[in-house]
Amino acid sequence: ACWAQPFHSPGGELLGVLTLYFTTARPPGAGEREAVAQLLPIAIVAAEQRRSALALRSGEERFASLAATIPGVVYQRVVRPDGDIRYTYISEGARELFGVAPEEIVANPQALFSRHSDAYRASFRQRLLAASRELTPWDVEATLVTPSGKTKYTHAIARPHREPDGTVVWNGVILETTRLKEAELTASAAQARTRQEVVDSLPLGFAMFDASDRLVAWNSKLPGYFSLPDPIVVATASYEAIARAEIEEEEGRDPATVAG
């Protein structure tokens, strides 16, 4: 025999059926009815928890699927009132961009931080803590080195919100900008070479000094005008020192003495 007892949510929604089975054809006894009455509240709670868990899992799966289609990395980072920094979520894109598995970063954020230089990590922490206090958006470019030794460039964008306990939650994305940055560096180097070629083509000595009187640019003819070897120009790197070295050269003394 089988006895089925439907059970509902407080709002009247059917959640499931609690079923008892017997080895003989008979109705449930008073003790069995009492047991079912005691089990029903537990069944209601269990059913609602399971439904919530399934809904959450479905939502997480949809979010993970969506995050996987976004180029770069989607992440959630928390900064606790004591200054502790953790990642509560980071998408699968971290594996390709950083060369580190997402679960490693969630378990230990140093797995991600170690991809950057010591100087960047130090400034990163201070800047992030300051941005967390002020709740200002995060918009940062960075250089990293993957475990394989490859240099990459990134651009991170995130927005914060503060929880009641003081924890600041950052939701953001990290985009790889390696190709764009390399193109910029190549163009910049080409422009620098072009500028130097133009300067070197001048039929006279050329020098440019900054506001502190330090030599910042010169052409190949400049050392000849001062009767000095090029290393002296580079080592002294100030108008006064170059002039002093030239005077000492004319007086027959070692210009390295003045340069030092």
Side-chain angles (χ1 to χ4, degrees):
C2 171
W3 179 38
Q5 175 63 55
F7 56 93
H8 303 77
S9 70
E13 181 183 0
L14 177 65
L15 295 177
V17 178
L18 188 61
T19 307
L20 298 181
Y21 294 90
F22 306 103
T23 57
T24 60
R26 65 176 180 83
E32 292 160 340
R33 291 177 180 274
E34 178 63 23
V36 169
Q38 294 178 359
L39 287 173
L40 281 176
I42 299 175
I44 291 172
V45 172
E48 289 186 325
Q49 288 180 340
R50 174 173 172 76
R51 185 169 62 174
S52 297
L54 290 175
L56 178 61
R57 185 184 308 167
S58 176
E60 291 176 344
E61 290 173 350
R62 287 196 299 271
F63 178 78
S65 177
L66 177 62
T69 66
I70 298 175
V73 177
V74 178
Y75 70 90
Q76 184 178 83
R77 177 174 59 211
V78 296
V79 179
R80 305 194 188 282
D82 63 0
D84 183 50
I85 301 171
R86 296 281 171 179
Y87 287 86
T88 56
Y89 174 83
I90 189 159
S91 67
E92 187 63 26
R95 194 185 304 273
E96 179 179 353
L97 181 55
F98 303 114
V100 182
E103 54 269 22
E104 291 183 52
I105 298 172
V106 172
N108 178 17
Q110 289 301 324
L112 173 56
F113 299 154
S114 63
R115 297 299 98 216
H116 301 283
S117 66
D118 293 340
Y120 177 84
R121 290 201 299 272
S123 65
F124 164 81
R125 178 176 177 81
Q126 296 306 317
R127 285 183 295 162
L128 181 59
L129 292 178
S132 297
R133 287 192 299 270
E134 302 297 328
L135 294 183
T136 53
W138 186 255
D139 191 336
V140 174
E141 293 183 346
T143 304
L144 61 93
V145 179
T146 67
S148 64
K150 183 177 181 180
T151 299
K152 292 185 177 182
Y153 300 91
T154 63
H155 187 178
I157 304 170
R159 292 189 176 277
H161 72 270
R162 182 173 284 113
E163 296 289 323
D165 66 352
T167 296
V168 176
V169 179
W170 292 86
N171 296 313
V173 296
I174 304 174
L175 305 175
E176 182 177 0
T177 58
T178 301
R179 285 187 295 180
L180 177 61
K181 190 68 175 180
E182 288 178 344
E184 291 177 354
L185 292 174
T186 299
S188 178
Q191 291 173 357
R193 287 194 300 270
T194 300
R195 286 195 298 268
Q196 189 61 42
E197 289 170 358
V198 171
V199 169
D200 282 337
S201 69
L202 296 174
L204 70 164
F206 170 84
M208 184 171 69
F209 297 85
D210 63 15
S212 300
D213 198 29
R214 307 298 294 181
L215 183 67
V216 294
W218 66 94
N219 67 356
S220 58
K221 297 180 179 63
L222 181 65
Y225 272 75
F226 281 93
S227 301
L228 298 173
D230 189 66
I232 293 296
V233 177
V234 178
T236 55
S238 76
Y239 181 81
E240 180 183 356
I242 293 174
R244 286 180 179 276
E246 170 67 9
I247 293 171
E248 296 298 332
E249 174 73 11
E250 291 180 356
E251 292 179 355
R253 286 186 285 175
D254 183 4
T257 302
V258 179

